[in-house]
Amino acid sequence: MEACEGKAIAGDGLPNSVYDEYPDILNRTLYVEYASKIIAGEYSIDKFDEFVEKWYASGGEEVTRKAREWYESIQ
């Protein structure tokens, strides 16, 4: 599998390795789709729950665990 480069979020410092094996979360496509459509009124705010379900199905729980481990390691 080819490595993906994530977009740095100013000041987050989170290493891209947190997203290894989770390209759908790394590329933020799912987030951008739902956020932009909710803001534009194409989706109702009720679609946010659907986004969360898809995010977790794409590896969100594992990414969250890795992010927490990284954060604890730098404290």
Side-chain angles (χ1 to χ4, degrees):
M1 175 181 267
E2 185 176 316
C4 295
E5 291 295 323
K7 294 179 182 176
I9 298 173
D12 75 357
L14 192 64
N16 280 345
S17 61
V18 168
Y19 303 105
D20 285 351
E21 300 178 34
Y22 304 101
D24 292 338
I25 293 176
L26 174 63
N27 66 29
R28 294 178 173 84
T29 303
L30 186 65
Y31 168 77
V32 170
E33 174 192 347
Y34 277 79
S36 61
K37 288 183 178 182
I38 288 170
I39 291 167
E42 288 183 55
Y43 287 172
S44 76
I45 192 66
D46 296 333
K47 284 279 216 174
F48 182 76
D49 291 337
E50 182 179 297
F51 158 74
V52 171
E53 288 176 20
K54 287 184 176 186
W55 190 81
Y56 276 117
S58 297
E61 195 166 340
E62 183 67 12
V63 169
T64 300
R65 184 189 63 74
K66 288 180 170 186
R68 287 180 177 153
E69 286 176 356
W70 168 80
Y71 183 75
E72 289 174 9
S73 75
I74 63 166
Q75 294 304 308

